[in-house]
Amino acid sequence: MKRTIVASLFLIIACKEEKKEIKTDAQSVQTEEKVVLHNEPNEAEAAKKWLEKSIVDYFKADIGSEEKNMRKITTKDYFDYKMDAMNVDLDVDGSLTDKEFQDKWKTRFDVSKAGVGAGFLITAQDWDKIEVGSCDLELTSKDEYLFNVVLTDKNFKAEYPSVIKVVKENGSFLIADVLQDEPKSN
C-alpha cells in the first residue's frame, strides 16, 4: 500500500513539473511572436524587394531554363500546382484534364485564378521586356505577404495584373501562390 501511495506521489509531482514547463514554453513563444510583429515592416519591405528582383531576374534568364528558375523562387507545392495548370489538357506525360486539375488542387488553391494553359506570372507566350510596374503590399501576417502586382511589357503594350503571395521558409522568401487576372492592353 505504501508503495502505491509513494508511486502516486511521484506521478503527481512529475505531472505538475510538466505543466510548468509547458507554460514556460508558451510564454517564450508569445515573446517570439511579438518580436516578429515588430520586425514586420522591415520583413515586408525585404519581401517586396526580393519579389521585384526575382521577377525581373526570371524574365531576363535564358528561356531554356525557365522551369529550373521557377523552381528556385517558388514553394514546392505552388511549383507542382502551376506546372499542372500550365499542362492541363496537353498531350504530355502527367498532364491532367481540367476536371482532374480542379479536383486535385481546389482545396489548396483558387483554381479559377490558376492561369490554366498560361505561363508563370504572365499569360503571354511571347514578351520583350517584362518589368514590375507596381508592387504594393496588400496584407501581411506572420511570414506571409500578399502583394498586388502589375507586370508590364511596354513594347507589346501589355499589363499583367496579379496577386502574389510570398512566404518566408527557412530564412528565404518564396512565391507560394499567384492569382492571375486577365491581361490588359494599352
Side-chain angles (χ1 to χ4, degrees):
M1 180 77 172
K2 285 183 181 180
R3 288 183 184 169
T4 306
I5 293 173
V6 172
S8 297
L9 286 175
F10 281 125
L11 190 61
I12 291 170
I13 291 170
C15 289
K16 284 184 179 179
E17 287 181 18
E18 279 185 37
K19 287 180 183 176
K20 287 180 185 175
E21 288 177 23
I22 291 171
K23 287 180 182 175
T24 304
D25 288 344
Q27 289 171 347
S28 67
V29 168
Q30 289 173 349
T31 305
E32 287 176 31
E33 287 177 357
K34 288 178 185 173
V35 171
V36 170
L37 292 175
H38 291 297
N39 289 333
E40 272 187 32
N42 294 335
E43 286 288 315
E45 187 60 32
K48 177 181 176 177
K49 286 179 181 177
W50 173 87
L51 179 60
E52 290 173 335
K53 181 180 181 335
S54 296
I55 290 170
V56 169
D57 290 349
Y58 174 80
F59 285 103
K60 281 184 180 177
D62 177 37
I63 198 162
S65 56
E66 268 183 344
E67 188 174 321
K68 183 176 110 180
N69 293 332
M70 180 181 158
R71 189 181 299 269
K72 287 180 186 177
I73 62 173
T74 60
T75 62
K76 181 186 179 338
D77 210 27
Y78 177 75
F79 177 82
D80 293 341
Y81 164 71
K82 185 58 183 175
M83 292 305 291
D84 280 352
M86 289 190 296
N87 294 319
V88 165
D89 289 331
L90 293 182
D91 191 21
V92 295
D93 285 344
S95 81
L96 305 171
T97 65
D98 191 44
K99 181 175 179 0
E100 290 170 332
F101 173 76
Q102 302 278 334
D103 291 344
K104 180 177 179 179
W105 294 107
K106 67 183 174 188
T107 59
R108 292 185 273 178
F109 293 95
D110 180 355
V111 293
S112 69
K113 300 281 187 168
V116 171
F120 175 56
L121 297 171
I122 65 171
T123 56
Q125 289 184 351
D126 297 320
W127 67 86
D128 182 44
K129 184 178 179 188
I130 300 295
E131 296 176 336
V132 179
S134 64
C135 182
D136 301 314
L137 181 65
E138 181 178 305
L139 187 65
T140 182
S141 62
K142 190 176 189 291
D143 294 331
E144 288 187 7
Y145 310 92
L146 204 61
F147 295 95
N148 280 322
V149 177
V150 177
L151 302 179
T152 61
D153 187 341
K154 292 179 182 168
N155 289 338
F156 280 85
K157 297 179 180 166
E159 291 185 346
Y160 305 96
S162 60
V163 175
I164 300 176
K165 178 180 174 182
V166 174
V167 297
K168 190 166 188 181
E169 288 183 357
N170 302 320
S172 299
F173 294 112
L174 295 170
I175 295 173
D177 197 4
V178 178
L179 303 174
Q180 290 182 262
D181 284 327
E182 292 298 316
K184 299 175 183 174
S185 297
N186 294 333

